[in-house]
Amino acid sequence: MIMSKKVKAVIFDLDGTLADSFHIGLAVANELAPKYKYKPIEDSPVIRDLSFREFLLSHLNLGKIRLSFWAREIRRIVSQKTGDIKIFPGIKDMLEELSKECKIGILTSNSTKNALAVLKNNGIDQYFSFLYTNCSAFGKWGHLKKLLRTEKYKRDEVIYVGDEIRDIDSCKIVHVPIIAVTWGGNSAKALMQTGADYYAYIPSDINAIIRMINQKAQ
């Protein structure tokens, strides 16, 4: 969905998009491997090419109840390590420039506590006008619809920025355009196969994309 109107708000995912938290999450998952009886997971191109659902099935294969316990425990342990989570290089400069163009918000599956800690610890909390947290791992599209209603935006007035296949899938359901960033959880190859509207290879690409959209909309 190529945008034809000026961008009023940019909605960001947090983990893997703004915050470099993948390796911390992977380390915590490996801490829990003996308890939940799966093999330790190595970061590899194979992992980066998988959707989150494919990853869960191929590497964890936990039942629904055990998976919910696992996810809750991952979040609890990661919350103790938020001080170690840094934003990617170039993110702060990108946000500062972007904040002059439009409103900026966050829609994440992470908890409110964890999200606020990461934003404040990295000195970027002041750039965000709204924060929506605790999204379902596979139902972010429903939370995105709620965000649009609550913040009073039309679908063609916003753009989402995420790093995973499931972000693209959710945006397609709601018909919200998406910029896929290639430095996060999923590889550029996987993101392109899924089909985002725009791609960012470095954070400043996001600014360039928004400028391009807004110039065409004038």
Side-chain angles (χ1 to χ4, degrees), residues 12-45:
F12 283 90
D13 174 48
L14 178 61
D15 296 288
T17 301
L18 299 175
D20 188 6
S21 52
F22 183 86
H23 295 292
I24 291 175
L26 189 61
V28 173
N30 285 336
E31 285 179 28
L32 296 176
K35 179 177 180 178
Y36 287 90
K37 296 181 172 53
Y38 55 81
K39 294 180 181 179
I41 306 155
E42 291 185 12
D43 188 6
S44 69

Side-chain angles (χ1 to χ4, degrees), residues 52-192:
F52 189 56
R53 192 183 296 275
E54 289 170 336
F55 165 74
L56 293 177
L57 289 173
S58 62
H59 287 75
L60 302 188
N61 199 25
L62 301 174
K64 190 173 182 179
I65 294 175
R66 281 176 60 77
L67 181 61
S68 66
F69 285 129
W70 175 84
R72 194 177 307 160
E73 198 161 358
I74 287 277
R75 183 175 291 180
R76 178 183 61 79
I77 298 173
V78 169
S79 70
Q80 300 166 3
K81 302 175 183 287
T82 52
D84 299 328
I85 298 175
K86 307 301 179 186
I87 55 174
F88 290 100
I91 290 294
K92 188 168 186 177
D93 289 342
M94 178 271 293
L95 291 172
E96 185 173 356
E97 183 178 340
L98 192 60
S99 66
K100 300 171 186 175
E101 293 270 340
C102 56
K103 296 286 187 181
I104 308 176
I106 284 180
L107 178 68
T108 175
S109 56
N110 212 326
S111 70
T112 304
K113 179 183 176 183
N114 289 0
L116 286 174
V118 171
L119 298 179
K120 289 179 180 178
N121 290 344
N122 285 279
I124 59 172
D125 54 303
Q126 71 272 20
Y127 297 116
F128 298 96
S129 300
F130 51 86
L131 176 66
Y132 288 74
T133 59
N134 296 297
C135 295
S136 166
F138 301 110
K140 187 176 280 187
W141 63 270
H143 297 270
L144 186 51
K145 284 180 70 174
K146 180 181 178 182
L147 184 157
L148 294 176
R149 288 196 304 269
T150 304
E151 301 298 328
K152 296 180 171 57
Y153 289 119
K154 295 179 181 178
R155 290 175 293 186
D156 56 358
E157 294 175 335
V158 304
I159 193 164
Y160 192 75
V161 184
D163 68 303
E164 292 189 60
I165 291 169
R166 56 180 168 162
D167 293 324
I168 298 174
D169 289 340
S170 290
C171 286
K172 285 181 177 180
I173 292 171
V174 186
H175 302 292
V176 165
I178 179 170
I179 300 171
V181 305
T182 59
W183 54 79
N186 278 132
S187 66
K189 172 188 170 184
L191 296 170
M192 289 179 181

